[in-house]
Amino acid sequence: MQITPVTAGRSPRVLIVGAGFAGINAALSLRGAHAQVTMVDRKNHHTFQPLLYQVALAVLSPAEIASPVRTILRGQKHTEVLMGEVVGFDLKARNALLKNGSRLEYDYLIVAAGSTHSYFGHEEWAVDAPGLKTLEDAIEIRRRVLLAFELAEKQVLENAPHPTPLNFVVIGAGPTGVELAGAISDIARHYMTRDFHHIDPRQARIMLLEGGPRVLAAYPEDLSASAERQLRDLGVEVRNNTRVTGIEPGVVLVGEERIAAAVIVWAAGVAASPLGKMLGAPTDKTGRVMVDAELNIPGHPEVFVLGDLAAREQDGHGLPGLAPVAIQMGKWVAKTITRDINGEPRKPFHYFDKGTMATIGRNKAIAQIGKIHLSGVIAWLAWLFIHIMYLVGFRNRLLVLTEWAWTYFAVQQGSRLITGDTNLIGWGNAD
């Protein structure tokens, strides 16, 4: 379907909402197009989300997995960057409303606002069990994890009569939950052992609670089983078919059972950005916008929805909310807009699956590449290489590779800084 031509004598205006994988790749791929591009996001940086957990567990610093959007796009003279929050759309007038009351007009609209945490109707749990979607989330989780060790040492020195168990509870065994549980085990077993004199960090208890029958349920059963074995090898207690019924300060409730926890991390659910519903198009139960083969909403070939915000089936299966999907969508939409400008027919979007992988811990990971299933060190090395290649900017790749090499061979971490409030939420309240 061809879009209505723009006013003669000017380049079409492309508005991109969201500087995640889809939005950034769309903007970069429009570099040579005869279009005026505007990128708007609430943050001034693009974050490499697959490595957020490494910031949360003090392996990497925030600057190593994030780049300013202006820096990424500074070589594109027809692209402008705005730091602002979109709060609504007028599809008939073709403009987007910003929180400050101003409006941005467009000829093409790309909405790639991503997703956020879902607590399944229990938003009050967020205070005691933060999720992991942003740099701010990662820094907060890092603060809580490091404080837990510090306060455990303090309680021993003070001969506290009822010391809080050094328990870490991760809720949800998808990729983020598995990565977090494995990383907490790594820092307790390898990186903290020489830093404390009165506690043994290796005695920390790490629990991974999953409501379904197995971890990494989106992967084939053999890889899921391998992931669980690798987690158990790391000392992680994996509890499948375990549904959390409540969260209190320092406590996770599973039915009548009360699990004391120094730190609770939520990795059990995601919901699409509320911007999706503001488009007025059909959405699925998680709020993702139903799009057609060209990633458009019904009746609006000029409006594209990408990444975690888009619900699209291919070969009878829904496309997963993964970085490779978002990246391919962003590049494809840029080509589609270029085709429109050049008067060429559009082509349907087709995702090419290059494989999926999840890291579990030091030398531990799983990977599925076509019919090939990998586990252990080989999968971990593949994961490391691919993630470095996806990082935006040569500087970031070099920094991350250097930091990983230092962490691996020297068994040291250089980002164990506690900032902000030094009180640990829930500490001492689990009795």
Side-chain angles (χ1 to χ4, degrees):
M1 181 185 296
Q2 288 295 112
I3 187 174
T4 303
V6 300
T7 303
R10 68 169 175 82
S11 300
R13 298 162 298 192
V14 181
L15 175 61
I16 304 174
V17 180
F21 286 110
I24 281 291
N25 278 276
L28 288 171
S29 299
L30 285 167
R31 178 191 299 270
H34 297 290
Q36 296 291 333
V37 180
T38 299
M39 165 72 76
V40 59
D41 195 285
R42 292 179 299 172
K43 310 285 179 142
N44 79 327
H45 54 270
H46 165 73
T47 302
F48 191 81
Q49 285 193 334
L51 292 182
L52 273 176
Y53 83 97
Q54 298 226 348
V55 174
L57 277 306
V59 177
L60 299 173
S61 67
E64 290 166 343
I65 69 162
S67 294
V69 178
R70 292 186 182 277
T71 300
I72 297 171
L73 301 176
R74 64 186 172 190
Q76 300 182 205
K77 63 180 181 179
H78 296 299
T79 300
E80 64 178 2
V81 177
L82 295 178
M83 186 175 172
E85 182 176 357
V86 174
V87 294
F89 304 98
D90 186 336
L91 299 187
K92 185 175 181 180
R94 292 191 180 182
N95 62 57
L97 174 65
L98 297 184
K99 192 173 184 179
N100 65 3
S102 62
R103 291 182 179 272
L104 298 174
E105 296 183 342
Y106 64 82
D107 296 298
Y108 292 94
L109 173 65
I110 299 173
V111 185
S115 59
T116 185
H117 316 298
S118 173
Y119 289 87
F120 307 112
H122 294 280
E123 301 309 312
E124 70 276 9
W125 293 353
V127 174
D128 300 304
L132 184 60
K133 280 291 183 181
T134 66
L135 283 176
E136 291 81 3
D137 295 335
I139 292 169
E140 174 59 18
I141 292 172
R142 180 183 71 186
R143 184 186 73 85
R144 296 189 187 201
V145 170
L146 296 180
L147 270 177
F149 289 102
E150 294 290 344
L151 295 176
E153 177 100 338
K154 183 172 180 285
Q155 285 191 338
V156 172
L157 283 171
E158 294 176 346
N159 294 313
H162 303 290
T164 303
L166 192 55
N167 295 346
F168 299 87
V169 178
V170 179
I171 303 170
T176 299
V178 166
E179 289 166 351
L180 282 167
I184 294 173
S185 175
D186 273 347
I187 67 169
R189 289 157 56 106
H190 297 292
Y191 304 116
M192 294 285 203
T193 55
R194 292 178 291 179
D195 290 0
F196 296 90
H197 299 293
H198 301 281
I199 64 169
D200 182 358
R202 292 172 296 184
Q203 299 303 310
R205 186 181 178 193
I206 300 107
M207 286 170 277
L208 180 61
L209 311 184
E210 167 57 35
R214 59 190 178 95
V215 305
L216 297 175
Y219 287 78
E221 289 191 17
D222 63 316
L223 289 180
S224 174
S226 174
E228 184 167 332
R229 286 194 299 271
Q230 293 180 68
L231 283 165
R232 295 188 187 280
D233 287 344
L234 288 172
V236 176
E237 298 178 30
V238 180
R239 293 179 56 175
N240 296 318
N241 297 307
T242 302
R243 293 192 176 276
V244 171
T245 56
I247 296 175
E248 300 173 358
V251 177
V252 176
L253 302 176
V254 178
E256 298 298 319
E257 181 184 5
R258 295 173 61 86
I259 303 173
V263 177
I264 308 167
V265 183
W266 183 264
V270 296
S273 164
L275 280 182
K277 293 183 178 179
M278 295 179 190
L279 291 169
T283 59
D284 66 10
K285 62 181 180 180
T286 65
R288 297 188 305 165
V289 179
M290 311 293 287
V291 296
D292 61 20
E294 296 177 356
L295 306 183
N296 296 128
I297 62 174
H300 289 277
E302 78 283 1
V303 179
F304 300 89
V305 181
L306 314 182
D308 290 355
L309 193 55
R312 176 66 188 164
E313 283 197 358
Q314 179 175 300
D315 302 327
H317 301 283
L319 293 178
L322 300 174
V325 178
I327 290 169
Q328 289 185 34
M329 283 182 170
K331 293 179 178 180
W332 180 89
V333 164
K335 290 181 180 178
T336 296
I337 292 173
T338 301
R339 285 177 171 274
D340 280 358
I341 295 172
N342 295 335
E344 300 172 358
R346 292 184 175 188
K347 295 181 179 180
F349 173 75
H350 185 84
Y351 171 60
F352 177 66
D353 188 357
K354 299 178 181 178
T356 55
M357 53 187 63
T359 183
I360 298 164
R362 183 182 172 93
N363 295 334
K364 297 182 185 298
I366 62 169
Q368 179 183 12
I369 305 172
K371 295 182 179 180
I372 301 175
H373 294 183
L374 302 174
S375 297
V377 176
I378 295 177
W380 182 78
L381 289 172
W383 175 90
L384 185 151
F385 174 78
I386 290 173
H387 279 71
I388 286 178
M389 290 301 101
Y390 271 127
L391 275 172
V392 176
F394 174 77
R395 177 178 176 274
N396 293 60
R397 295 171 187 167
L398 184 60
L399 283 173
V400 170
L401 184 60
T402 302
E403 189 66 38
W404 270 341
W406 171 253
T407 298
Y408 186 85
F409 291 108
V411 197
Q412 294 286 337
Q413 287 173 287
S415 303
R416 293 205 299 269
L417 304 178
I418 300 174
T419 57
D421 189 357
T422 55
N423 293 315
L424 184 63
I425 293 177
W427 187 268
N429 297 323
D431 295 335

